[in-house]
Structure formats: C-alpha cells, structure tokens
mmCIF file of all heavy atoms in Angstrom:
data_model
loop_
_atom_site.group_PDB
_atom_site.id
_atom_site.type_symbol
_atom_site.label_atom_id
_atom_site.label_comp_id
_atom_site.label_asym_id
_atom_site.label_seq_id
_atom_site.Cartn_x
_atom_site.Cartn_y
_atom_site.Cartn_z
ATOM 1 N N ILE A 1242 83.252 46.566 92.613
ATOM 2 C CA ILE A 1242 82.119 46.750 93.388
ATOM 3 C C ILE A 1242 82.347 46.441 94.918
ATOM 4 O O ILE A 1242 83.163 45.460 95.210
ATOM 5 C CB ILE A 1242 81.033 45.924 92.891
ATOM 6 C CG1 ILE A 1242 80.681 46.156 91.490
ATOM 7 C CG2 ILE A 1242 79.740 45.911 93.695
ATOM 8 C CD1 ILE A 1242 79.760 45.342 90.684
ATOM 9 N N CYS A 1243 81.879 47.151 95.748
ATOM 10 C CA CYS A 1243 81.907 46.912 97.229
ATOM 11 C C CYS A 1243 80.572 46.942 97.984
ATOM 12 O O CYS A 1243 80.023 47.997 97.880
ATOM 13 C CB CYS A 1243 83.047 47.842 97.801
ATOM 14 S SG CYS A 1243 83.284 47.409 99.570
ATOM 15 N N SER A 1244 80.222 46.065 98.600
ATOM 16 C CA SER A 1244 79.065 46.108 99.555
ATOM 17 C C SER A 1244 79.494 45.920 100.954
ATOM 18 O O SER A 1244 80.265 46.755 101.415
ATOM 19 C CB SER A 1244 77.908 45.176 99.058
ATOM 20 O OG SER A 1244 78.452 43.813 99.012
ATOM 21 N N ASN A 1245 79.141 44.771 101.675
ATOM 22 C CA ASN A 1245 79.652 44.659 103.087
ATOM 23 C C ASN A 1245 80.146 43.293 103.353
ATOM 24 O O ASN A 1245 79.959 42.717 104.475
ATOM 25 C CB ASN A 1245 78.406 44.866 103.963
ATOM 26 C CG ASN A 1245 77.950 46.485 103.846
ATOM 27 O OD1 ASN A 1245 76.910 46.748 103.228
ATOM 28 N ND2 ASN A 1245 78.592 47.321 104.422
ATOM 29 N N HIS A 1246 80.928 42.726 102.401
ATOM 30 C CA HIS A 1246 81.672 41.579 102.765
ATOM 31 C C HIS A 1246 83.097 41.713 102.039
ATOM 32 O O HIS A 1246 83.211 42.456 101.076
ATOM 33 C CB HIS A 1246 80.974 40.293 102.220
ATOM 34 C CG HIS A 1246 80.676 40.412 100.623
ATOM 35 N ND1 HIS A 1246 79.605 40.870 100.091
ATOM 36 C CD2 HIS A 1246 81.378 39.782 99.612
ATOM 37 C CE1 HIS A 1246 79.575 40.669 98.780
ATOM 38 N NE2 HIS A 1246 80.613 40.075 98.520
ATOM 39 N N PHE A 1247 83.922 40.824 102.380
ATOM 40 C CA PHE A 1247 85.402 41.004 101.926
ATOM 41 C C PHE A 1247 85.444 40.002 100.700
ATOM 42 O O PHE A 1247 84.835 39.022 100.522
ATOM 43 C CB PHE A 1247 86.360 40.340 103.069
ATOM 44 C CG PHE A 1247 86.612 41.423 104.085
ATOM 45 C CD1 PHE A 1247 86.836 40.851 105.380
ATOM 46 C CD2 PHE A 1247 86.680 42.783 103.854
ATOM 47 C CE1 PHE A 1247 87.007 41.784 106.442
ATOM 48 C CE2 PHE A 1247 86.925 43.571 104.884
ATOM 49 C CZ PHE A 1247 87.034 43.184 106.288
ATOM 50 N N GLN A 1248 86.464 40.376 99.737
ATOM 51 C CA GLN A 1248 86.590 39.640 98.511
ATOM 52 C C GLN A 1248 88.005 39.112 98.302
ATOM 53 O O GLN A 1248 88.261 38.380 97.278
ATOM 54 C CB GLN A 1248 86.147 40.686 97.380
ATOM 55 C CG GLN A 1248 84.836 41.084 97.452
ATOM 56 C CD GLN A 1248 84.502 42.092 96.310
ATOM 57 O OE1 GLN A 1248 84.480 41.801 95.272
ATOM 58 N NE2 GLN A 1248 84.080 43.407 96.748
ATOM 59 N N SER A 1249 89.002 39.537 99.080
ATOM 60 C CA SER A 1249 90.326 39.226 98.868
ATOM 61 C C SER A 1249 90.622 37.790 99.258
ATOM 62 O O SER A 1249 89.859 37.161 100.100
ATOM 63 C CB SER A 1249 91.309 40.100 99.640
ATOM 64 O OG SER A 1249 91.019 40.016 100.977
ATOM 65 N N GLU A 1250 91.687 37.082 98.725
ATOM 66 C CA GLU A 1250 92.024 35.798 99.088
ATOM 67 C C GLU A 1250 92.251 35.484 100.585
ATOM 68 O O GLU A 1250 91.937 34.534 101.170
ATOM 69 C CB GLU A 1250 93.323 35.417 98.381
ATOM 70 C CG GLU A 1250 93.074 35.098 96.912
ATOM 71 C CD GLU A 1250 94.325 34.510 96.140
ATOM 72 O OE1 GLU A 1250 95.213 34.115 97.038
ATOM 73 O OE2 GLU A 1250 94.433 34.571 94.940
ATOM 74 N N GLU A 1251 92.660 36.475 101.202
ATOM 75 C CA GLU A 1251 93.110 36.355 102.727
ATOM 76 C C GLU A 1251 91.825 36.205 103.548
ATOM 77 O O GLU A 1251 92.051 35.659 104.706
ATOM 78 C CB GLU A 1251 93.834 37.701 103.209
ATOM 79 C CG GLU A 1251 95.178 37.841 102.664
ATOM 80 C CD GLU A 1251 95.277 38.440 101.269
ATOM 81 O OE1 GLU A 1251 94.214 38.644 100.633
ATOM 82 O OE2 GLU A 1251 96.437 38.760 100.800
ATOM 83 N N PHE A 1252 90.733 36.531 103.031
ATOM 84 C CA PHE A 1252 89.461 36.379 103.898
ATOM 85 C C PHE A 1252 88.537 35.353 103.257
ATOM 86 O O PHE A 1252 87.454 35.178 103.690
ATOM 87 C CB PHE A 1252 88.691 37.631 103.885
ATOM 88 C CG PHE A 1252 89.378 38.752 104.816
ATOM 89 C CD1 PHE A 1252 90.297 39.664 104.268
ATOM 90 C CD2 PHE A 1252 89.043 38.703 106.184
ATOM 91 C CE1 PHE A 1252 90.890 40.617 105.163
ATOM 92 C CE2 PHE A 1252 89.719 39.641 106.972
ATOM 93 C CZ PHE A 1252 90.676 40.644 106.541
ATOM 94 N N GLN A 1253 88.982 34.396 102.331
ATOM 95 C CA GLN A 1253 88.157 33.543 101.597
ATOM 96 C C GLN A 1253 87.639 32.551 102.652
ATOM 97 O O GLN A 1253 86.484 31.843 102.548
ATOM 98 C CB GLN A 1253 88.973 32.766 100.595
ATOM 99 C CG GLN A 1253 89.149 33.665 99.371
ATOM 100 C CD GLN A 1253 87.855 34.264 98.822
ATOM 101 O OE1 GLN A 1253 86.874 33.499 98.409
ATOM 102 N NE2 GLN A 1253 87.815 35.582 98.668
ATOM 103 N N ASP A 1254 88.441 32.304 103.595
ATOM 104 C CA ASP A 1254 87.918 31.072 104.622
ATOM 105 C C ASP A 1254 87.596 31.803 105.979
ATOM 106 O O ASP A 1254 87.354 31.039 107.042
ATOM 107 C CB ASP A 1254 89.184 30.202 104.937
ATOM 108 C CG ASP A 1254 89.712 29.539 103.756
ATOM 109 O OD1 ASP A 1254 88.837 28.987 102.901
ATOM 110 O OD2 ASP A 1254 90.877 29.238 103.626
ATOM 111 N N ASP A 1255 87.328 33.058 105.924
ATOM 112 C CA ASP A 1255 86.872 33.814 107.164
ATOM 113 C C ASP A 1255 85.365 33.448 107.462
ATOM 114 O O ASP A 1255 84.451 33.587 106.698
ATOM 115 C CB ASP A 1255 87.029 35.251 106.968
ATOM 116 C CG ASP A 1255 86.603 36.034 108.234
ATOM 117 O OD1 ASP A 1255 85.516 36.331 108.488
ATOM 118 O OD2 ASP A 1255 87.656 36.324 109.013
ATOM 119 N N LYS A 1256 85.155 32.749 108.629
ATOM 120 C CA LYS A 1256 83.769 32.390 109.022
ATOM 121 C C LYS A 1256 82.700 33.416 109.081
ATOM 122 O O LYS A 1256 81.624 33.382 108.395
ATOM 123 C CB LYS A 1256 83.933 31.583 110.370
ATOM 124 C CG LYS A 1256 82.506 30.918 110.771
ATOM 125 C CD LYS A 1256 82.684 30.364 112.197
ATOM 126 C CE LYS A 1256 81.250 29.764 112.520
ATOM 127 N NZ LYS A 1256 81.201 29.064 113.929
ATOM 128 N N ARG A 1257 83.039 34.493 109.620
ATOM 129 C CA ARG A 1257 82.144 35.718 109.697
ATOM 130 C C ARG A 1257 81.854 36.184 108.283
ATOM 131 O O ARG A 1257 80.810 36.559 108.010
ATOM 132 C CB ARG A 1257 82.653 36.787 110.774
ATOM 133 C CG ARG A 1257 82.592 36.295 112.146
ATOM 134 C CD ARG A 1257 83.029 37.484 113.056
ATOM 135 N NE ARG A 1257 82.841 37.158 114.458
ATOM 136 C CZ ARG A 1257 83.805 36.570 114.998
ATOM 137 N NH1 ARG A 1257 84.853 36.194 114.453
ATOM 138 N NH2 ARG A 1257 83.609 36.196 116.400
ATOM 139 N N ASN A 1258 82.787 36.219 107.492
ATOM 140 C CA ASN A 1258 82.545 36.928 106.211
ATOM 141 C C ASN A 1258 81.712 35.993 105.463
ATOM 142 O O ASN A 1258 80.769 36.294 104.699
ATOM 143 C CB ASN A 1258 83.978 37.045 105.402
ATOM 144 C CG ASN A 1258 83.782 37.900 104.139
ATOM 145 O OD1 ASN A 1258 83.291 38.901 104.215
ATOM 146 N ND2 ASN A 1258 84.312 37.191 103.076
ATOM 147 N N SER A 1259 81.868 34.650 105.580
ATOM 148 C CA SER A 1259 80.991 33.641 104.815
ATOM 149 C C SER A 1259 79.599 33.704 105.320
ATOM 150 O O SER A 1259 78.604 33.652 104.505
ATOM 151 C CB SER A 1259 81.425 32.273 104.918
ATOM 152 O OG SER A 1259 82.790 32.182 104.506
ATOM 153 N N GLU A 1260 79.407 33.885 106.611
ATOM 154 C CA GLU A 1260 78.047 34.088 107.215
ATOM 155 C C GLU A 1260 77.391 35.330 106.676
ATOM 156 O O GLU A 1260 76.143 35.393 106.326
ATOM 157 C CB GLU A 1260 78.180 34.258 108.735
ATOM 158 C CG GLU A 1260 78.454 32.873 109.399
ATOM 159 C CD GLU A 1260 78.767 33.062 110.960
ATOM 160 O OE1 GLU A 1260 78.671 34.282 111.432
ATOM 161 O OE2 GLU A 1260 78.890 32.004 111.712
ATOM 162 N N ALA A 1261 78.192 36.400 106.570
ATOM 163 C CA ALA A 1261 77.560 37.645 105.965
ATOM 164 C C ALA A 1261 77.060 37.637 104.679
ATOM 165 O O ALA A 1261 76.044 37.978 104.247
ATOM 166 C CB ALA A 1261 78.732 38.855 106.111
ATOM 167 N N ILE A 1262 77.882 36.773 103.861
ATOM 168 C CA ILE A 1262 77.476 36.596 102.413
ATOM 169 C C ILE A 1262 76.143 35.755 102.316
ATOM 170 O O ILE A 1262 75.281 36.026 101.530
ATOM 171 C CB ILE A 1262 78.607 35.925 101.616
ATOM 172 C CG1 ILE A 1262 79.799 36.924 101.578
ATOM 173 C CG2 ILE A 1262 78.151 35.500 100.310
ATOM 174 C CD1 ILE A 1262 81.100 36.285 100.988
ATOM 175 N N LEU A 1263 76.126 34.621 103.270
ATOM 176 C CA LEU A 1263 74.989 33.811 103.255
ATOM 177 C C LEU A 1263 73.792 34.339 103.816
ATOM 178 O O LEU A 1263 72.581 34.258 103.368
ATOM 179 C CB LEU A 1263 75.326 32.486 103.823
ATOM 180 C CG LEU A 1263 74.181 31.421 104.034
ATOM 181 C CD1 LEU A 1263 73.981 30.980 102.650
ATOM 182 C CD2 LEU A 1263 74.733 30.316 105.008
ATOM 183 N N GLU A 1264 73.800 35.116 104.926
ATOM 184 C CA GLU A 1264 72.682 35.476 105.828
ATOM 185 C C GLU A 1264 72.167 36.873 105.605
ATOM 186 O O GLU A 1264 71.112 37.130 105.875
ATOM 187 C CB GLU A 1264 73.058 35.156 107.292
ATOM 188 C CG GLU A 1264 73.459 33.720 107.591
ATOM 189 C CD GLU A 1264 73.708 33.434 109.014
ATOM 190 O OE1 GLU A 1264 73.808 34.425 109.754
ATOM 191 O OE2 GLU A 1264 74.142 32.264 109.358
ATOM 192 N N SER A 1265 73.125 37.796 105.126
ATOM 193 C CA SER A 1265 72.795 39.189 105.118
ATOM 194 C C SER A 1265 72.361 39.592 103.648
ATOM 195 O O SER A 1265 72.203 38.709 102.851
ATOM 196 C CB SER A 1265 73.883 40.091 105.666
ATOM 197 O OG SER A 1265 74.874 40.207 104.573
ATOM 198 N N HIS A 1266 72.196 40.876 103.555
ATOM 199 C CA HIS A 1266 71.860 41.455 102.150
ATOM 200 C C HIS A 1266 73.058 41.947 101.395
ATOM 201 O O HIS A 1266 72.877 42.512 100.339
ATOM 202 C CB HIS A 1266 70.764 42.557 102.323
ATOM 203 C CG HIS A 1266 71.086 43.541 103.419
ATOM 204 N ND1 HIS A 1266 72.095 44.550 103.457
ATOM 205 C CD2 HIS A 1266 70.626 43.585 104.694
ATOM 206 C CE1 HIS A 1266 72.132 45.180 104.561
ATOM 207 N NE2 HIS A 1266 71.345 44.617 105.384
ATOM 208 N N THR A 1267 74.251 41.737 101.824
ATOM 209 C CA THR A 1267 75.411 42.211 101.132
ATOM 210 C C THR A 1267 75.656 41.640 99.768
ATOM 211 O O THR A 1267 75.892 42.425 98.797
ATOM 212 C CB THR A 1267 76.761 41.994 102.018
ATOM 213 O OG1 THR A 1267 77.911 42.575 101.279
ATOM 214 C CG2 THR A 1267 77.068 40.631 102.379
ATOM 215 N N GLN A 1268 75.465 40.283 99.557
ATOM 216 C CA GLN A 1268 75.570 39.699 98.261
ATOM 217 C C GLN A 1268 74.579 40.049 97.237
ATOM 218 O O GLN A 1268 74.799 40.306 96.094
ATOM 219 C CB GLN A 1268 75.547 38.214 98.454
ATOM 220 C CG GLN A 1268 76.015 37.528 97.075
ATOM 221 C CD GLN A 1268 77.298 37.692 96.678
ATOM 222 O OE1 GLN A 1268 78.264 37.453 97.391
ATOM 223 N NE2 GLN A 1268 77.488 38.054 95.330
ATOM 224 N N TYR A 1269 73.303 40.266 97.825
ATOM 225 C CA TYR A 1269 72.255 40.748 96.873
ATOM 226 C C TYR A 1269 72.454 42.246 96.356
ATOM 227 O O TYR A 1269 72.354 42.389 95.204
ATOM 228 C CB TYR A 1269 70.954 40.731 97.839
ATOM 229 C CG TYR A 1269 69.697 41.088 96.923
ATOM 230 C CD1 TYR A 1269 68.786 39.845 96.431
ATOM 231 C CD2 TYR A 1269 69.232 42.258 96.602
ATOM 232 C CE1 TYR A 1269 67.643 40.105 95.765
ATOM 233 C CE2 TYR A 1269 68.010 42.573 95.765
ATOM 234 C CZ TYR A 1269 67.403 41.435 95.418
ATOM 235 O OH TYR A 1269 66.173 41.624 94.685
ATOM 236 N N ARG A 1270 72.979 43.088 97.246
ATOM 237 C CA ARG A 1270 73.257 44.375 96.727
ATOM 238 C C ARG A 1270 74.436 44.492 95.812
ATOM 239 O O ARG A 1270 74.680 45.218 94.764
ATOM 240 C CB ARG A 1270 73.531 45.383 97.996
ATOM 241 C CG ARG A 1270 72.278 45.901 98.477
ATOM 242 C CD ARG A 1270 72.458 46.838 99.716
ATOM 243 N NE ARG A 1270 73.124 46.183 100.893
ATOM 244 C CZ ARG A 1270 74.355 46.261 101.206
ATOM 245 N NH1 ARG A 1270 75.281 46.963 100.498
ATOM 246 N NH2 ARG A 1270 74.789 45.621 102.291
ATOM 247 N N TYR A 1271 75.582 43.507 96.124
ATOM 248 C CA TYR A 1271 76.587 43.352 95.158
ATOM 249 C C TYR A 1271 76.254 43.042 93.794
ATOM 250 O O TYR A 1271 76.587 43.544 92.789
ATOM 251 C CB TYR A 1271 77.558 42.403 95.727
ATOM 252 C CG TYR A 1271 78.759 42.107 94.854
ATOM 253 C CD1 TYR A 1271 80.038 42.794 95.155
ATOM 254 C CD2 TYR A 1271 78.736 41.172 93.815
ATOM 255 C CE1 TYR A 1271 81.138 42.627 94.272
ATOM 256 C CE2 TYR A 1271 79.947 40.997 92.958
ATOM 257 C CZ TYR A 1271 81.078 41.795 93.287
ATOM 258 O OH TYR A 1271 82.143 41.537 92.450
ATOM 259 N N ASP A 1272 75.292 41.922 93.804
ATOM 260 C CA ASP A 1272 74.778 41.417 92.517
ATOM 261 C C ASP A 1272 73.897 42.460 91.793
ATOM 262 O O ASP A 1272 73.889 42.753 90.579
ATOM 263 C CB ASP A 1272 73.886 40.166 92.776
ATOM 264 C CG ASP A 1272 74.728 39.019 93.122
ATOM 265 O OD1 ASP A 1272 75.962 39.004 92.897
ATOM 266 O OD2 ASP A 1272 74.174 38.085 93.829
ATOM 267 N N ARG A 1273 73.137 43.215 92.549
ATOM 268 C CA ARG A 1273 72.296 44.355 91.970
ATOM 269 C C ARG A 1273 73.096 45.334 91.322
ATOM 270 O O ARG A 1273 72.894 45.856 90.225
ATOM 271 C CB ARG A 1273 71.324 44.943 92.992
ATOM 272 C CG ARG A 1273 70.515 46.111 92.529
ATOM 273 C CD ARG A 1273 69.598 45.647 91.286
ATOM 274 N NE ARG A 1273 68.860 46.765 90.849
ATOM 275 C CZ ARG A 1273 68.212 47.058 89.576
ATOM 276 N NH1 ARG A 1273 68.402 45.900 88.725
ATOM 277 N NH2 ARG A 1273 67.377 47.922 89.355
ATOM 278 N N MET A 1274 74.247 45.792 92.035
ATOM 279 C CA MET A 1274 75.162 46.791 91.515
ATOM 280 C C MET A 1274 75.738 46.291 90.218
ATOM 281 O O MET A 1274 75.964 47.020 89.355
ATOM 282 C CB MET A 1274 76.221 47.224 92.639
ATOM 283 C CG MET A 1274 77.283 48.225 92.055
ATOM 284 S SD MET A 1274 76.528 49.767 91.622
ATOM 285 C CE MET A 1274 76.231 50.528 93.246
ATOM 286 N N LYS A 1275 76.189 45.050 90.334
ATOM 287 C CA LYS A 1275 76.852 44.450 89.040
ATOM 288 C C LYS A 1275 75.798 44.585 87.776
ATOM 289 O O LYS A 1275 76.229 44.863 86.774
ATOM 290 C CB LYS A 1275 77.277 43.003 89.285
ATOM 291 C CG LYS A 1275 78.033 42.322 88.324
ATOM 292 C CD LYS A 1275 78.604 40.947 88.847
ATOM 293 C CE LYS A 1275 79.493 40.347 87.786
ATOM 294 N NZ LYS A 1275 80.077 39.017 88.321
ATOM 295 N N GLU A 1276 74.480 44.252 88.146
ATOM 296 C CA GLU A 1276 73.546 44.263 87.178
ATOM 297 C C GLU A 1276 73.350 45.828 86.500
ATOM 298 O O GLU A 1276 73.285 45.913 85.353
ATOM 299 C CB GLU A 1276 72.235 43.826 87.672
ATOM 300 C CG GLU A 1276 71.009 43.509 86.875
ATOM 301 C CD GLU A 1276 69.886 42.912 87.685
ATOM 302 O OE1 GLU A 1276 69.118 43.713 88.171
ATOM 303 O OE2 GLU A 1276 69.772 41.688 87.817
ATOM 304 N N LEU A 1277 73.330 46.698 87.441
ATOM 305 C CA LEU A 1277 73.217 48.106 87.138
ATOM 306 C C LEU A 1277 74.326 48.524 86.242
ATOM 307 O O LEU A 1277 74.177 49.309 85.307
ATOM 308 C CB LEU A 1277 72.926 49.059 88.360
ATOM 309 C CG LEU A 1277 71.522 48.789 89.043
ATOM 310 C CD1 LEU A 1277 71.616 49.477 90.451
ATOM 311 C CD2 LEU A 1277 70.486 49.364 88.188
#
C-alpha cells in the first residue's frame, strides 16, 4: 500500500515524513486502504 508518506528504514527518522504521518491525511488513507 502507498499513500503519501515513506515507509522504508532509510526514512524512519525523517522529520518531514513524521510530520506528514501525524498532521496530514496520508496515514488515514493508508489505514482505509488496508481495511478495504
């Protein structure tokens, strides 16, 4: 599944990526796709 945040180990500590997961709708759509 892919929405709008990175998932690889290389980006686990990326500040902007963490902000996107927390503040935007990318994680929500990821979870909804997983559900579907």
